[in-house]
Amino acid sequence: MASYSFYSRSFLGLDKRVWFAMGGTLLAALLLLAFKVATHVRCTGVNLSAKGTVPHSTTNVFYINENVKFTASMTHASEINWNFGDQTPGAMGPTAEHKFASEGTFLVTVEVNGKCRESMRVQIRKMAVETTGETANPINGNTTLYAGTPEVFSSAKSGKAYVWYIEEDASMGRKTDSAAAFTFNTTGDYTLVLQLDGDSNKIFRKTITVLQPGSVTAKTDVSKFELPELPTPPVPKKPQPDMSSGKDNPPPTPGPSPDPKPAPPSPGGKKYIRVGDEALKMMLNEVIDKKLDANGFDQILCNGAQSQVIANGKFTTFTELVKSLQVRRGLLKKIKAKIRSVKQVPDPDKENKCLLSIKVDYDWD
């Protein structure tokens, strides 16, 4: 029997160089396996969701040019890429916003970490808007405004639920009352949208143009104001002849003309608007949230920020009322004031729509 020696050139019938090659290959395979295990990311499932700016009764159905926000989430996601399926540039990141320019069904695909993919189908439709009858556009309010000045819009059509919003600026929030107050701080064109009863077939739009203060005079929508009818001027009577004498009486000798009455003074150049109690209450709530200040009521109050106010039974000015409403109470200073009731005291001059005073009752919950 041949004995094995370390210095021999073979082992178990194989050359030692073969054993070294096999050992090196095994070691490299083990290292590669360890690297794969350490860096492997499983596709545990990608969660996709889509949300538009308009309420819809059907999931993943949106309107043309509606801003849709897509969200993707997955454990250990480090890189996320979007493909919207409409031959437009994609996007990167866990959230992406996109507007579809045409009708149809589109496959939106997301790729996570370069290999995990998930898709969802979205349907894009044209927005249905009523165009017949007197209520084709029930939105009441001015179409041309000044930046920084609040404007109250109301609906001529009643409904069980109201949603108001600005299509181009989601940060202006949504209003859910029959009237809505908005303040535009940037000039440009905006689209005011009103949806009634959560019905996608009852959506109305109105284009609003916002100008710099002091520029072209804003157009006032006078349809919401009741204007008195002008009186009919009297028709002068002709002198009648005296038939008893058989001769016509000579025309009367004109006497001295009376002194002409001075023309009534024309109303001031400043234009005011009248809002309802609920709309005024909403504007005061925006004061509480520090979205409006005293200057935002210049078109409503006759004396602006110095107008008289009866707040919780005490006389004060509107400026002081604003300061009081913006005070936070509580240990963490998070309790806000709450408006309980509002009563307006208008100017008795019928041609002037401003408020001489307001009565406000409020407290902190």
Side-chain angles (χ1 to χ4, degrees), residues 31-94:
L31 291 175
L32 182 60
L33 177 62
F35 175 78
K36 287 288 186 179
V37 171
T39 59
H40 177 64
V41 176
R42 295 179 58 192
C43 294
T44 56
V46 182
N47 297 319
L48 290 183
S49 64
K51 183 178 181 181
T53 56
V54 178
H56 296 273
S57 57
T58 306
T59 305
N60 296 339
V61 174
F62 308 100
Y63 293 126
I64 294 175
N65 290 327
E66 179 182 355
N67 192 59
V68 184
K69 182 178 181 180
F70 295 95
T71 304
S73 61
M74 190 191 84
T75 306
H76 305 299
S78 59
E79 181 181 349
I80 300 178
N81 294 285
W82 295 88
N83 185 333
F84 301 108
D86 59 352
Q87 298 182 350
T88 60
M92 297 181 62

Side-chain angles (χ1 to χ4, degrees), residues 252-270:
T253 304
S257 60
D259 295 335
K261 295 183 180 180
S266 60
K270 186 172 182 179

Side-chain angles (χ1 to χ4, degrees), residues 217-218 220 267-273 298-300 352-354:
T217 304
T220 303
K270 186 172 182 179
K271 301 295 182 181
Y272 294 94
I273 60 175
D298 281 348
Q299 285 188 308
I300 298 176
N352 194 344
K353 299 181 181 297
C354 63

Side-chain angles (χ1 to χ4, degrees), residues 79-143:
E79 181 181 349
I80 300 178
N81 294 285
W82 295 88
N83 185 333
F84 301 108
D86 59 352
Q87 298 182 350
T88 60
M92 297 181 62
T95 61
E97 295 185 2
H98 187 67
K99 294 181 180 180
F100 294 89
S102 60
E103 284 186 286
T105 301
F106 300 93
L107 184 66
V108 179
T109 303
V110 63
E111 184 180 78
V112 181
N113 298 335
K115 59 180 180 178
C116 301
R117 291 190 177 187
E118 189 63 62
S119 300
M120 67 184 303
R121 293 186 181 274
V122 295
Q123 186 175 1
I124 307 301
R125 300 175 178 175
K126 287 183 179 179
M127 180 178 290
V129 181
E130 294 183 15
T131 57
T132 59
E134 296 182 356
T135 58
N137 192 338
I139 301 176
N140 292 328
N142 294 331
T143 57

Side-chain angles (χ1 to χ4, degrees), residues 328-342:
R328 300 290 192 267
R329 291 188 176 182
L331 183 62
L332 301 178
K333 301 296 183 182
K334 291 187 176 181
I335 301 178
K336 299 188 294 185
K338 185 173 184 179
I339 304 297
R340 295 298 181 186
S341 64
V342 175

Side-chain angles (χ1 to χ4, degrees), residues 144-150 183-188 209-218 295 298-299:
T144 308
L145 313 174
Y146 291 130
T149 301
T183 301
F184 300 87
N185 296 318
T186 307
T187 59
T209 301
V210 181
L211 306 174
Q212 283 288 354
S215 58
V216 181
T217 304
N295 296 328
D298 281 348
Q299 285 188 308

